[in-house]
């Protein structure tokens, strides 16, 4: 049933000299869905994307993209994909319009000028259309990058950290564009550092660690795994251990120390711990509390928790 | 092949649009050979045994070819610069001919060279250089010049893709200015010691320079020259064929490989 998957990879490996960047990447992205590839820096996300978009050749393994074999028929794969990322961008010395016309021409789109005009309009770039792309703001540049990947509607769109460093308004525009595309049946594989982005866009998340997919699941499944991040700052460093004991009791997770800031952190198993209860318990234990907070987990928290659980299970 | 023509044409358009958007560099590179013609022609010319006007006639074909050989430097620098542009990887993910990107660069370089040759020739005419052969021969000379430029541009593109480093390419490219110094571009080779003369006359620049002097009717083939200079047109065509046969496939393969 390979045809139901827009991206299907098995055991993809890639070495760069000593560095084993990918150690067997298995991915299965059903057609018409959005898959979020998450993971800390160095987990192999970008390498994975570069392999799947024909920019790098794997040392081992195989993959099919939109039904075409990545290694045997890269030209057919290139006809079906769109790629946007820090590496696959636009020509800064050309204007936005010239860029889109060039890519439309290379994609054999009929009426490249009209297509460029449509896309500029759709991404709110008409006013800046005749300025060199190098003068664009970060958000405009990213929109132009995305528009350039859509001159012909791709079957599979690869996005490498599409919103990193963007303000919320620009980020929302990119998200809206991705949602529109998937509504039209395009499959999207995106890498991101932000759990929230995956939460907003992805049907499935693949969490990468050390060159392979460590966990897969829906955003809801991921959130169920992890609660919130608790941090407590005390006035007297002598109380750090006692604070840690209280946090251990409340969260059931191993606390981590930040001696410089006189802080203890821990990640809860669920979302039931409230701030008043945390403060009451610490106060009852006689901890000289300076600050306490409960925040949504970061991707690192999720990753740490999942790897900790793996170690415990082993 | 039609894919290559279509994509190559699109990439040629890209390069020419980039130059049009940013013409400052173009003006700078085009004034360089004119400055050299005036400098060499009047400063060095006054110190040579050859009369000044005769030396300037001798120098015009030499500088044309020396400037054409700069295709090596320009090609190298641009290709190295381009490897760091994000757009290169987008090209590699597009369903386009793998040869189109280097072809577009070499093609645009050719157009720029052809246009830049005009003001240089006008200054040449002003300082006493003349076309003394037939019009057909003069057209042949210019064709040969452009063919040589096209060949050196491909060699430069390959080296640029190989170094992938703008600074290294800039340094290496700067060093290419010595190539015409070891040829007949600025001086007659007859006066050189035997081994040095052989070396200079096997320099591709010498064959093409001699071909231009011959076709423009500016100077006769010297006695006892090495084969490429003794048969300058055939020698030039052979050099261009060798350069293209070696560097076109190398550059295309290197480009297609990317960072694998």
């Amino acid at each position: 049933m390979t045809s139901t998957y827009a991206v299907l990879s098995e055991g993809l490996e890639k070495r760069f000299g000593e560095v084993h960047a990918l150690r067997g990447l298995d991915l299965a992205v059903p057609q018409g869905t959005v898959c979020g590839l998450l993971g800390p820096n160095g987990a192999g996300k970008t390498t994975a994307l570069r392999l799947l978009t024909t920019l790098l050749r794997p040392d081992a393994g195989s993959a099919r993209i939109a039904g075409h074999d990545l290694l045997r028929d890269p030209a057919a794969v290139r006809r079906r994909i769109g790629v946007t990322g820090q590496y696959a961008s636009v020509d800064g010395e050309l204007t936005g319009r010239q860029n889109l016309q060039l890519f439309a021409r290379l994609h054999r789109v009929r009426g490249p000028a009209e297509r460029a005009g449509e896309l500029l309009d759709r991404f709110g770039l008409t006013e800046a259309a005749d300025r060199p792309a190098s003068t664009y703001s970060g958000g405009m540049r990213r929109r132009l990058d995305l528009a350039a990947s859509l001159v012909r509607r791709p079957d599979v769109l690869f996005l490498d950290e599409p919103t990193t460093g963007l303000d919320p308004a620009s980020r929302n525009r990119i998200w809206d564009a991705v949602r529109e595309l998937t509504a039209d049946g395009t499959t999207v594989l995106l890498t991101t550092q932000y759990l929230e982005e995956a939460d907003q866009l992805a049907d499935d998340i693949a969490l990468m660690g050390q060159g392979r997919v460590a966990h897969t699941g829906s955003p809801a499944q991921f959130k169920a795994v992890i609660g919130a991040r608790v941090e407590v700052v005390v006035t007297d460093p002598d109380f750090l251990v006692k604070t840690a004991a209280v946090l251990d009791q409340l969260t059931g997770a191993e606390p981590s120390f930040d001696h410089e800031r006189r802080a203890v952190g821990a990640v809860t198993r669920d979302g039931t711990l409230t701030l008043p209860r945390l403060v009451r318990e610490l106060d009852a234990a006689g901890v000289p509390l300076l600050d306490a907070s409960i925040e949504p987990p970061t991707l690192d928290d999720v990753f740490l928790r999942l790897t900790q659980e793996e170690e415990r299970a082993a | 092949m039609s894919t290559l023509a279509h994509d190559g044409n699109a990439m040629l358009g890209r390069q020419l649009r980039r130059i049009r958007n940013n013409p400052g560099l173009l003006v700078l590179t085009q004034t360089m050979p004119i400055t050299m013609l005036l400098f060499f022609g009047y400063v060095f010319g006054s110190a040579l045994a050859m009369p000044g006007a005769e030396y300037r006639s001798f120098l015009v074909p030499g500088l044309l070819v020396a400037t054409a050989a700069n295709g090596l430097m320009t090609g190298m620098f641009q290709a190295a610069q381009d490897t760091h542009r994000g757009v290169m990887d987008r090209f590699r993910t597009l369903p386009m001919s793998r040869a189109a990107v280097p072809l577009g660069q070499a093609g645009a370089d050719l157009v720029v060279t052809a246009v830049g040759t005009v003001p240089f020739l006008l200054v040449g005419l002003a300082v006493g250089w003349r076309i003394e052969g037939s019009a057909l021969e003069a057209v042949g000379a210019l064709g040969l010049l452009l063919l040589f430029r096209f060949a050196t541009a491909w060699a430069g593109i390959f080296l640029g893709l190989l170094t992938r480093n703008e600074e290294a390419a800039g340094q290496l490219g700067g060093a290419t200015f010595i190539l015409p110094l070891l040829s007949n571009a600025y001086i007659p080779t007859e006066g050189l010691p035997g081994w040095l003369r052989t070396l200079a006359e096997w320099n591709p620049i010498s064959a093409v320079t001699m071909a231009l002097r011959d076709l423009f009717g500016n100077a006769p083939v010297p006695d006892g020259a090495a084969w490429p200079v003794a048969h300058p047109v055939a020698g030039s065509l052979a050099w261009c064929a060798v350069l293209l046969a070696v560097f076109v496939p190398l550059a295309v393969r290197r480009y297609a490989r990317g960072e694998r």
Side-chain angles (χ1 to χ4, degrees):
Chain A
M1 293 298 284
T2 53
S3 61
T4 57
Y5 291 105
V7 177
L8 189 67
S9 82
E10 273 176 20
L12 285 181
E13 290 197 31
K14 186 69 189 175
R15 272 176 186 281
F16 299 105
E18 295 284 287
V19 184
H20 209 158
L22 279 187
R23 301 161 182 266
L25 182 81
D26 300 319
L27 262 182
V29 183
Q31 241 165 46
T33 66
V34 180
C35 175
L37 207 54
L38 271 77
N41 289 329
K45 304 187 297 285
T46 296
T47 304
L49 235 65
R50 293 185 65 97
L51 282 173
L52 296 172
T53 55
T54 77
L55 284 169
L56 287 172
R57 269 186 89 81
D59 298 328
S62 65
R64 292 183 78 79
I65 313 289
H68 295 279
D69 191 289
L70 183 68
L71 287 171
R72 264 179 247 135
D73 200 357
V77 171
R78 288 185 197 114
R79 276 195 288 276
R80 305 295 201 92
I81 62 172
V83 188
T84 292
Q86 291 103 320
Y87 46 85
S89 71
V90 297
D91 192 332
E93 288 175 45
L94 295 182
T95 67
R97 190 188 305 280
Q98 286 171 338
N99 266 295
L100 294 181
Q101 288 183 0
L102 171 64
F103 296 125
R105 220 165 270 142
L106 291 170
H107 268 293
R108 307 284 194 286
V109 172
R110 270 194 223 164
E114 291 77 51
R115 183 68 184 136
E118 269 167 41
L119 285 165
L120 288 164
D121 202 36
R122 175 169 159 199
F123 285 95
L125 293 168
T126 304
E127 255 178 66
D130 298 309
R131 272 175 25 207
S134 58
T135 65
Y136 284 19
S137 70
M140 289 159 70
R141 180 71 180 250
R142 220 64 74 85
R143 272 168 7 230
L144 182 61
D145 283 350
L146 186 55
S149 310
L150 304 178
V151 286
R152 204 181 52 182
R153 196 174 72 75
D155 290 353
V156 187
L157 179 65
F158 294 89
L159 301 171
D160 192 18
E161 302 198 1
T163 63
T164 300
L166 291 190
D167 61 60
S170 302
R171 194 189 57 190
N172 284 333
R173 286 186 93 133
I174 300 269
W175 285 357
D176 286 344
V178 172
R179 289 192 192 102
E180 272 176 48
L181 276 171
T182 51
D184 287 348
T186 297
T187 307
V188 178
L189 180 62
L190 66 94
T191 71
T192 178
Q193 302 258 22
Y194 309 127
L195 202 55
E196 196 202 343
E197 183 158 77
D199 194 14
Q200 286 283 334
L201 294 178
D203 299 296
D204 290 295
I205 291 177
L207 182 66
M208 288 188 70
Q210 296 178 345
R212 57 166 69 92
V213 175
H215 295 274
T216 54
S218 67
Q221 285 171 320
F222 267 84
K223 272 191 282 186
V225 170
I226 194 125
R229 177 168 186 81
V230 182
E231 193 182 68
V232 176
V233 184
V234 295
T235 57
D236 183 348
D238 292 344
F239 282 90
L240 283 176
V241 175
K242 189 165 205 177
T243 309
V246 175
L247 285 187
D248 190 11
Q249 212 175 12
L250 286 172
T251 65
E254 206 175 307
S256 61
F257 293 93
D258 183 343
H259 289 280
E260 213 166 291
R261 292 175 49 235
R262 294 195 302 270
V264 187
V267 176
T268 64
R269 276 191 187 277
D270 51 47
T272 57
L273 181 65
T274 61
L275 195 57
R277 182 166 167 232
L278 175 68
V279 173
R280 270 202 308 277
E281 297 278 346
L282 287 165
D283 195 40
V287 172
L289 199 59
L290 185 65
D291 194 13
S293 62
I294 300 180
E295 280 170 7
T298 65
L299 184 55
D300 286 343
D301 294 330
V302 180
F303 189 73
L304 280 174
R305 165 60 66 88
L306 287 168
T307 45
Q308 270 175 12
E309 276 177 5
E310 248 175 27
E311 278 163 17
R312 256 175 233 161
Chain B
M1 212 51 201
S2 75
T3 308
L4 176 59
H6 175 276
D7 296 342
N9 188 35
M11 297 313 294
L12 175 68
R14 163 188 176 241
Q15 295 285 4
L16 293 178
R17 255 170 226 113
R18 284 174 58 174
I19 294 164
R20 210 174 57 196
N21 291 354
N22 193 4
L25 194 68
L26 182 66
V27 174
L28 202 69
T29 56
Q30 298 309 326
T31 49
M32 198 58 195
I34 294 177
T35 314
M36 282 172 77
L37 174 61
L38 298 176
F39 242 92
F40 283 27
Y42 287 94
V43 179
F44 289 9
S46 66
L48 291 174
M50 221 186 278
E54 199 183 311
Y55 180 58
R56 288 191 288 279
S57 277
F58 177 85
L59 194 57
V60 165
L63 272 170
L64 276 172
V65 179
T67 307
N70 276 342
L72 194 62
M73 180 181 74
T74 315
M76 191 151 63
F77 189 70
Q78 280 186 359
Q81 208 177 29
D82 260 357
T83 57
H84 299 290
R85 288 180 206 280
V87 72
M88 280 299 136
D89 272 341
R90 185 185 294 280
F91 290 140
R92 289 196 183 92
T93 64
L94 289 180
M96 61 186 278
S97 160
R98 306 279 93 184
V101 172
L103 180 67
Q105 192 190 326
D109 181 70
L110 199 61
V111 172
V112 169
T113 306
V115 172
T117 302
V118 176
F120 179 82
L121 289 178
L122 292 177
V123 175
L125 287 169
V127 300
W129 168 79
R130 294 288 177 271
I131 295 173
E132 287 157 71
S134 71
L136 197 65
E137 282 172 323
V139 170
L142 292 175
L144 205 54
L145 182 74
L146 292 178
L147 179 66
F148 183 59
R149 172 71 181 209
F150 193 61
T152 59
W154 276 99
I157 290 168
F158 170 67
L159 292 173
L161 290 171
L162 203 63
T163 57
R164 321 171 52 83
N165 178 328
E166 277 170 61
E167 269 178 52
Q171 296 284 333
L172 214 63
T176 59
F177 89 99
I178 63 162
L179 294 177
L181 293 179
L182 196 64
S183 80
N184 60 6
Y186 307 142
I187 49 142
T189 44
E190 292 98 296
L192 294 173
W195 63 275
L196 199 57
R197 179 180 179 184
T198 309
L199 196 67
E201 287 180 345
W202 279 94
N203 184 339
I205 292 172
S206 294
V208 184
T209 302
M210 192 63 245
L212 260 65
R213 284 185 186 135
D214 189 32
L215 292 168
F216 285 138
N218 297 139
V221 175
D223 289 332
W227 186 85
V229 172
H231 307 87
V233 175
S236 302
L237 289 172
W239 271 124
C240 292
V242 168
L243 288 172
L244 288 170
V246 171
F247 289 108
V248 171
L250 281 177
V252 170
R253 263 184 45 199
R254 187 80 213 174
Y255 166 76
R257 254 184 72 193
E259 270 176 57
R260 300 178 169 194

